[in-house]
Amino acid sequence: MTETNTNKPLLEVKHLKTYFHSRNSTVKAVDDVSFEVYQGETLGIVGESGCGKSITCMSIGRLVECPPGRYEGGEIILDGEEILSMPDAKLRDIRGNKLAYIFQEPMTSLNPVFKIGYQIEEVLMLHRGMNKEEAHQAAIQALDRVRIPNPERVVNDYPFALSGGMRQRVMIAMALACSPKLLVADEPTTALDVTIQAQVLDLMNELKKEIDTSILFITHDLSVIAEMADRVMVMYAGKVVELADVNTIFERPLHPYTRGLIESRPDMSTSGTRLNVIPGNVPDLSDLPEGCSFSPRCAFCCDKCRAGVPELVEVEPNHWVRCYRPGGEDLDN
Amino acid sequence: MTTDNNTLLEVRHLKKYFPIKGGVFQSTIGNVKAVDDVSFTVKRGEVLGLVGESGCGKSTTGRTVLNLIKPTSGEVLYNGVNIYDLSRSEMNKYRTKMQIVFQDPYSSLNPRLPIYEIIGEAMLEHHIVSNKEEMMNKVFDLMSKCGLFPEQAGRYPHQFSGGQRQRICIARALAVDPEFVVCDEAVSALDVSIQSQIINLLKELQEDMGLTYLFISHDLSVVKFISDSVAVMYLGEIVEMGSKDQIFNNFVHPYTEALLSAAPSFDPRKRNNANRIILQGDLPSPANPPAGCRFHTRCPFATERCAVEVPEIREIEPGHSVRCLYAEERAAKRAAQ
C-alpha cells in the first residue's frame, strides 16, 4: 500500500469543520479534520460514539442536515472537484455515481415498499441512462456480483423477505452498481452476527480488488479495522488524534487514547485478571474540557495539556499524532 | 450429572417454544423452538459464558432460567430446588437470589425515578432493609462499590451517560444481595473504552461478593476474558460446552471452530489467514430447523449422514460435551495434530 501514497489522492479533506448549532450551544462535531484517501486504498476511521466519525463521512457527500448542521469551513475535493461549494444538481450527479454509501442498518436504508430490483434499477437508470430492461439485467448482475443466490428471484423480493446479511449485500450491490470511485462504509457490519460479518468483510475485500474502488471504512471495532484497513485514522471528540498505517497503529500507537483503546480490548489471546481501562467518560461535545480534549482521561496529562490544544504533528514519516507527549515521552525531549 | 454442593444452578432439558398463531381462528400452526432441550450446570462462584449468534436462544435461556418467562418443559434446580414448582410467594423469595442485568441501560431504567429509588425499591419490597434510612445507607454503599458518586443518588437516569447507567443497573441487581446474576449482553451496547470499565467492575464484584454469573454475549473475546466455562448455542441447542480452555483451545464442534475463526483478529498481520472458515448462508429459521444435525446446512464438513441423523450431545472428555456425529473423530484428529 505504500506505493499508493505517491499518487495523487482521490479524496482530499482539508480543515473540515462541521458544527451543529442549537439555541444555547454549539457542538463542534467535526473540528478541523484533514485527511486523504488514495486510489485503491482503504482508510479506516475508528472512534467511539460521538467522536465525529459518522459526521465526517456524511459531510463528504454533503449529507448532514443543514440546519441544525453547518459546514463552517474547509474543503472536500473528490477526484478534483470541490464538494462543499458545488451546486446541488452537480452533487446529485456525483452521489451514487462517483461516491456511494453503505450504512449500518440495511433495513432503514432500503425502502420497504419497493422491490429490491427496482431500487437498484433506479440508480442505474438515473446515472447510467439505461432503459428498464437493461437496468433489470444489470440489477441481476449486481446481485450476482455480491454472491446473492438466485438473483433472478431476489430482484422481485421486498426487503423484509431478506435476512440482515442479505440486505447488507443488497446495499453493497446498490452502492457498487455504478462502480463508484469512493465507497463510504459507515459501520457496515456492526448490526450483523460474527459469521455474517466475516462473509460481508470478505466480500468487500474481494470486490475492492475487482473494481478498484477506494473505501472509507468507519467503525468503532478495532478488530474490524485490523482486518480491513490499509491506513487508520483515530478520532476523539471531533478531532483526528492519530493517523498512520495499520501495522504502525497496532504495533506502535503513540497517542495515549489509541494505546488505551487497543489495550482495553480483551483480545482473543489476552488472559489475565483485569483489563487496562481508560478512566472516565466520553466528553460531551458541547462542553469540552480546556486544553487537549483527552487530558481529563489521560494518564500522561501534564500542565501543558490542560492549557493548550496540541497540533497534529508528523512525528515520524506518515505517522501523525496530536499529543504533546506522544508515547508518554518527557516534555523536554 | 449429579447435584453436589458446588452446583448452584442446574438446568435440565429446558425447552421454550413460542407458538406461531395463524389461520382464521388464530390456532397454533407451529412453534419457534427458541430453546430446545438445553441442559447445563453452573458451579458456585463461577462464570458460565453463553455464546451464539442472534436468534440462537441465548437470551431466552437466560430469562427462562430466572422464571421471567415460563418454560414449555424442563427443570431449573437452584440449590437443588426446582424453581418452576414454587408458589408465587416462594418464588418471590428466590427472586432476591437471582438477578439480571440487561443489555440496554437506556430502556431498562425508569426515567421517572431518581437513582436511589431505582436501586433501593427492591430492598424495601423484599424487606432487606427495615427503614428508609437504612436503605439510603445501603444505596450509597452500593453506588460507591459500582463506581458511582453517592451524592448523585437524587439524580434521574437521563443525567447519566451509558456507562454510568449500566453501573446503576448493576447496583440495582446487587441491591437484594443476590448469589446469581444473569448478564444478558451487559456490555454490548457500550463504547469500547467504557466496555472494559464495566467488564472489570463485573469481575471485581464477582470476586468480592462471591457471585455466580451466567454471562450471555455474542462477543467471543469478552466471553473468553470473563468466563470460567463456556457453552456455545446454535438454533436453540447447546452444540459444545466445556471449560474456557477446552472451548477456545481444544474446540471440537465445527460451529465453534467457525465462530472462533470468524471473529476478526486483532493483529493486522494475521489477516487473510488461509485456515479461516467463512460459513456460507444464513442462520436457518428456528421455526423450521433443518432435519438431522441443525448445523449441517452451513457446516463445511457435513456428510450425508448429518442430514439424516440427529447427533446427541455427549461428553468426549471430562467436562467437555459436543453435539456432533463426528465429535470423537474430530477430537482424535485434533489431538494427533
Side-chain angles (χ1 to χ4, degrees):
Chain A
M1 58 126 292
T2 33
E3 71 269 24
T4 54
N5 279 0
T6 53
N7 298 345
K8 210 174 156 298
L10 174 73
L11 172 78
E12 263 181 286
V13 175
K14 292 180 189 164
H15 306 290
L16 176 69
K17 289 180 182 171
T18 309
Y19 294 176
F20 289 85
H21 297 280
S22 68
R23 205 175 301 166
N24 38 26
S25 68
T26 298
V27 171
K28 298 179 176 179
V30 178
D31 195 9
D32 200 2
V33 165
S34 305
F35 62 93
E36 290 96 44
V37 180
Y38 294 91
Q39 182 63 45
E41 84 163 345
T42 302
L43 176 69
I45 304 185
V46 68
E48 296 179 281
S49 47
C51 73
K53 55 190 193 301
S54 287
I55 301 297
T56 304
C57 92
M58 283 168 75
S59 302
I60 292 166
R62 243 164 70 191
L63 293 177
V64 176
E65 211 171 319
C66 303
R70 240 178 94 183
Y71 302 104
E72 297 279 344
E75 280 178 80
I76 296 170
I77 299 161
L78 176 68
D79 204 20
E81 290 173 294
E82 213 288 313
I83 301 257
L84 290 179
S85 56
M86 190 178 276
D88 285 353
K90 185 97 194 289
L91 186 62
R92 270 199 295 278
D93 196 40
I94 285 184
R95 287 180 190 152
N97 207 1
K98 277 187 180 171
L99 170 68
Y101 280 86
I102 309 172
F103 293 105
Q104 173 172 353
E105 191 27 82
M107 197 58 209
T108 51
S109 315
L110 288 166
N111 192 330
V113 299
F114 289 109
K115 288 178 179 172
I116 299 287
Y118 174 76
Q119 299 190 46
I120 302 176
E121 287 160 23
E122 199 184 11
V123 183
L124 290 162
M125 289 193 288
L126 199 70
H127 288 296
R128 292 285 135 126
M130 290 184 182
N131 66 32
K132 185 93 185 121
E133 189 43 40
E134 287 165 351
H136 188 73
Q137 289 311 318
I140 293 175
Q141 272 173 24
L143 290 177
D144 192 43
R145 188 159 70 176
V146 294
R147 327 287 191 258
I148 287 184
N150 304 322
E152 298 84 358
R153 213 200 62 220
V154 174
V155 280
N156 293 317
D157 277 340
Y158 288 92
F160 73 83
L162 302 180
S163 67
M166 282 298 151
R167 280 183 211 140
Q168 200 57 291
R169 281 166 197 259
V170 170
M171 288 310 297
I172 296 173
M174 202 185 289
L176 297 184
C178 294
S179 308
K181 298 215 156 139
L182 178 67
L183 177 66
V184 182
D186 188 357
E187 304 261 13
T189 59
T190 308
L192 306 176
D193 278 314
V194 215
T195 59
I196 310 296
Q197 167 174 293
Q199 290 174 2
V200 171
L201 293 181
D202 194 47
L203 174 72
M204 285 181 75
N205 271 333
E206 275 177 44
L207 292 174
K208 187 187 144 195
K209 277 181 217 143
E210 262 174 49
I211 61 174
D212 195 30
T213 302
S214 304
I215 301 178
L216 189 57
F217 199 102
I218 288 107
T219 180
H220 71 282
D221 189 338
L222 279 163
S223 50
V224 173
I225 285 284
E227 190 75 29
M228 298 294 290
D230 298 317
R231 285 191 308 137
V232 184
M233 176 165 116
V234 184
M235 287 187 73
Y236 187 79
K239 289 193 163 71
V240 180
V241 295
E242 189 158 4
L243 177 66
D245 76 90
V246 65
N247 293 330
T248 312
I249 285 281
F250 281 90
E251 283 157 19
R252 258 181 306 120
L254 288 180
H255 197 283
Y257 178 63
T258 317
R259 284 170 72 175
L261 273 188
I262 291 171
E263 284 170 7
S264 68
R265 209 39 215 137
D267 187 4
M268 294 299 282
S269 57
T270 46
S271 54
T273 51
R274 289 291 179 275
L275 295 169
N276 293 313
V277 299
I278 307 174
N281 289 304
V282 183
D284 179 357
L285 282 176
S286 61
D287 183 23
L288 283 177
E290 291 276 303
C292 169
S293 326
F294 187 60
S295 60
R297 304 178 73 188
C298 182
F300 303 103
C301 174
C302 60
D303 291 341
K304 197 176 173 193
C305 309
R306 279 182 283 264
V309 181
E311 289 295 310
L312 193 64
V313 186
E314 191 168 22
V315 290
E316 54 188 16
N318 296 319
H319 191 169
W320 297 75
V321 184
R322 186 189 292 277
C323 183
Y324 287 128
R325 305 177 65 185
E329 69 186 27
D330 288 332
L331 270 183
D332 32 84
N333 290 7
Chain B
M1 282 192 282
T2 50
T3 311
D4 56 52
N5 283 338
N6 264 331
T7 308
L8 181 68
L9 184 87
E10 184 173 347
V11 177
R12 285 184 187 164
H13 306 291
L14 187 68
K15 285 185 188 171
K16 177 64 200 177
Y17 295 171
F18 293 102
I20 308 168
K21 305 274 185 189
V24 189
F25 299 107
Q26 290 295 300
S27 53
T28 304
I29 51 171
N31 281 308
V32 175
K33 296 176 178 174
V35 179
D36 203 4
D37 202 0
V38 162
S39 304
F40 58 86
T41 57
V42 189
K43 289 204 187 95
R44 199 178 290 278
E46 271 201 355
V47 181
L48 174 69
L50 197 55
V51 275
E53 296 177 277
S54 51
C56 73
K58 54 192 193 302
S59 286
T60 308
T61 305
R63 284 168 201 207
T64 317
V65 163
L66 293 184
N67 205 359
L68 295 177
I69 29 186
K70 293 270 170 239
T72 306
S73 70
E75 292 180 333
V76 171
L77 304 181
Y78 187 85
N79 266 335
V81 180
N82 185 356
I83 60 164
Y84 299 137
D85 290 344
L86 298 174
S87 70
R88 218 186 151 83
S89 60
E90 283 173 318
M91 187 61 222
N92 265 343
K93 281 185 203 134
Y94 273 88
R95 294 239 184 260
T96 65
K97 297 184 181 169
M98 316 162 83
Q99 285 292 317
I100 186 163
V101 178
F102 293 104
Q103 170 169 4
D104 183 3
Y106 289 84
S107 57
S108 54
L109 295 174
N110 186 339
R112 292 173 165 232
L113 292 185
I115 301 310
Y116 69 85
E117 221 165 303
I118 289 176
I119 301 175
E121 198 180 18
M123 296 179 191
L124 283 173
E125 177 67 30
H126 287 288
H127 308 293
I128 289 175
V129 290
S130 46
N131 55 45
K132 195 127 192 213
E133 196 188 334
E134 223 178 294
M135 175 192 105
M136 287 310 276
N137 284 335
K138 206 164 173 226
V139 167
F140 292 152
D141 184 43
L142 269 171
M143 285 183 74
S144 50
K145 239 186 207 163
C146 294
L148 295 157
F149 298 108
E151 51 279 19
Q152 297 177 341
R155 293 199 182 177
Y156 288 84
H158 74 267
Q159 294 171 296
F160 293 88
S161 68
Q164 285 171 310
R165 283 183 207 212
Q166 198 59 296
R167 289 175 193 271
I168 297 168
C169 293
I170 294 169
R172 174 179 61 180
L174 300 181
V176 291
D177 302 321
E179 301 170 305
F180 176 66
V181 180
V182 174
C183 304
D184 188 358
E185 301 271 14
V187 297
S188 307
L190 306 174
D191 270 318
V192 195
S193 72
I194 308 301
Q195 203 175 47
S196 53
Q197 292 175 2
I198 300 295
I199 294 171
N200 274 357
L201 173 67
L202 284 169
K203 204 151 183 176
E204 241 166 63
L205 292 168
Q206 191 234 342
E207 287 163 8
D208 292 352
M209 305 171 72
L211 297 172
T212 306
Y213 290 149
L214 178 64
F215 194 91
I216 300 169
S217 179
H218 69 282
D219 190 331
L220 289 159
S221 46
V222 172
V223 167
K224 185 178 179 193
F225 183 77
I226 204 164
S227 310
D228 298 301
S229 45
V230 180
V232 183
M233 280 189 81
Y234 185 77
L235 278 187
E237 294 179 331
I238 289 181
V239 295
E240 187 162 5
M241 188 163 53
S243 71
K244 176 163 78 176
D245 180 59
Q246 284 165 340
I247 296 293
F248 285 94
N249 300 324
N250 293 308
F251 48 83
V252 169
H253 199 282
Y255 181 62
T256 315
E257 187 175 352
L259 259 191
L260 288 172
S261 78
S265 156
F266 219 61
D267 185 351
R269 295 193 194 274
K270 274 193 201 149
R271 66 169 78 158
N272 304 326
N273 180 355
N275 293 326
R276 189 161 181 193
I277 303 176
I278 292 185
L279 287 182
Q280 299 304 312
D282 285 311
L283 218 67
S285 158
N288 184 21
C293 171
R294 291 191 179 180
F295 185 55
H296 85 266
T297 50
R298 298 174 78 197
C299 181
F301 310 105
T303 64
E304 281 166 23
R305 238 183 101 198
C306 299
V308 192
E309 277 179 60
V310 179
E312 285 298 313
I313 189 157
R314 55 197 185 274
E315 224 171 23
I316 54 159
E317 56 181 318
H320 189 179
S321 312
V322 183
R323 187 190 293 275
C324 175
L325 290 174
Y326 300 98
E328 288 79 6
E329 286 166 46
R330 285 179 56 86
K333 220 188 219 167
R334 275 194 71 87
Q337 271 171 11

